[in-house]
Amino acid sequence: KTHMIGKWHLGFFLDDYLPINRGFDTFYGYYSGYENYFTHVAEPYTCKVGVNCFYDLRSGSKPVMSAEYNTYIFAREAEIMIRKHAEDAFLTGGGNPFFLYFAMGNTHSPVAAPDSVFEKHGAKLNQIRNHERRVYAAATIVADEAIYNITSALKRNELFDDTIIIIASDNGGNPWAAGNNYPLRGMKNDLWEGGMRVNALIRSNLIPVERRGTTYDNIFHVSDWVPTLLRGALKDGLLGTGFDGVNHWDALTGISDHIPRIDLVYNIDYSGGEVSGAIRIGDMKLLKNVEYSDVWEVPGENEPDKTKQHFAKKLDFLFNISADPTESQDLRGDSSYRHIFAHMNLEFSKLQLSMVDPAFCGAAYDSLADSVYEEEEFIGPFMQNQSYKCIIKDSAEEVLHISKIECGYRLHSPEFCDGVMNDV
């Protein structure tokens, strides 16, 4: 059985895009990219109070009304799912595996935490002078408690020892929403290390005792999780072929000294008629046609310096990312790195030629979607036209559409977004 709880954010304009039609047997959560933690209003930064604001919480496809903090709901649903699985395994004699994708919103904006957290942990939280960072810390405590409750449920139901647990983030923090990546450069939505490099951990009884508590230093891409987990769970080999990622299990567990990955594509994409991206080969990282970004210090009592942002001019950069993870010394103009710079540009061009059209479909759907949402006051599938053609790639319409999406996630300055959101 496969279960999904929490944030979906992989499309819902057609029924075909819903979790229960994309491989999950059960779903409890929200379709959009973020919601108000208490009211469950979808993406509140993109709607005006009382106008075009709709709920986003479902059990399967059934709308759910609630005023409870969503991470508490999701952790409880995970505990229920684990208990049911254990009961079914007992009745059938066991042997049936399960997969749970638990995607809680903490600590995505709009960052919030229940009053009870501040009351219980006030002595610790009040040491944080910055209000936004204090709330962020409280939301992190909620995340920690949710993980504790789920792992406790696994132990109570005698599933913990046979379960591989992964905890991982999806991107770097957003300083405009209380996040921080110091001392790494950049922020969420960047190709700089602050936007891309995140923490992760893996817990399993299959990991040798001497490897537990250690740090894995090899390059690891998100696409590597599937072949790595399949190797760990199946032991004797992988199911299927053609994975985008590579298997790290033998390296993680110390079975092999082989380094599974020596290169990495951060991203290569078109924007405004220009190609930009970043790749890594060994120690070296090339950023191509990107805006320079600041290092955001951890804010003190005052709000972070929101005048810090990207510089409009797009350039190429070259860094030894192993020796210089903060990307402070650009080696592009260093004559001793001339051949490396040329080689990495050549590899970038080869990868660019292999690009395929994105699966993302930008749809200028505001009026059609709102008319459907208003019927039940919840967001959900609104288009039945299976032959709908997406916005033309890189057109002015698509650029505006994506800019509106990014502004909804506070990824641009307020001044920029005021103009974008008022453009119809």
Side-chain angles (χ1 to χ4, degrees), residues 270-281:
Y270 292 97
S271 177
E274 301 175 316
V275 65
S276 63
I279 62 171
R280 176 173 174 174
I281 301 175

Side-chain angles (χ1 to χ4, degrees), residues 376-387:
E376 59 178 20
E377 298 184 3
F378 279 76
I379 68 167
F382 57 84
M383 190 178 290
Q384 302 304 321
N385 180 9
Q386 298 286 342
S387 61

Side-chain angles (χ1 to χ4, degrees), residues 212-229:
R212 299 174 192 177
T214 62
T215 299
Y216 185 69
D217 293 322
N218 290 328
I219 302 171
F220 197 104
H221 187 267
V222 65
S223 63
D224 298 338
W225 282 121
V226 171
T228 299
L229 289 174

Side-chain angles (χ1 to χ4, degrees), residues 104-116:
M104 58 181 156
N106 302 55
T107 51
H108 197 291
S109 62
V111 183
D115 291 341
S116 58

Side-chain angles (χ1 to χ4, degrees), residues 176 186-190 192 291-294 296 307-312 411-412:
W176 290 340
M187 58 181 279
K188 175 180 178 177
N189 209 43
D190 276 348
W192 301 89
E291 298 173 352
Y292 185 75
S293 184
D294 277 310
W296 296 71
T307 62
K308 278 195 171 188
Q309 51 189 293
H310 307 115
F311 299 86
L411 297 175
H412 296 289

Side-chain angles (χ1 to χ4, degrees), residues 118 128-136 300-303:
F118 294 95
I128 303 172
R129 294 177 297 164
N130 181 274
H131 172 72
E132 288 188 350
R133 294 286 292 170
R134 188 161 58 250
V135 177
Y136 194 95
E301 186 171 350
N302 298 322
E303 301 301 321

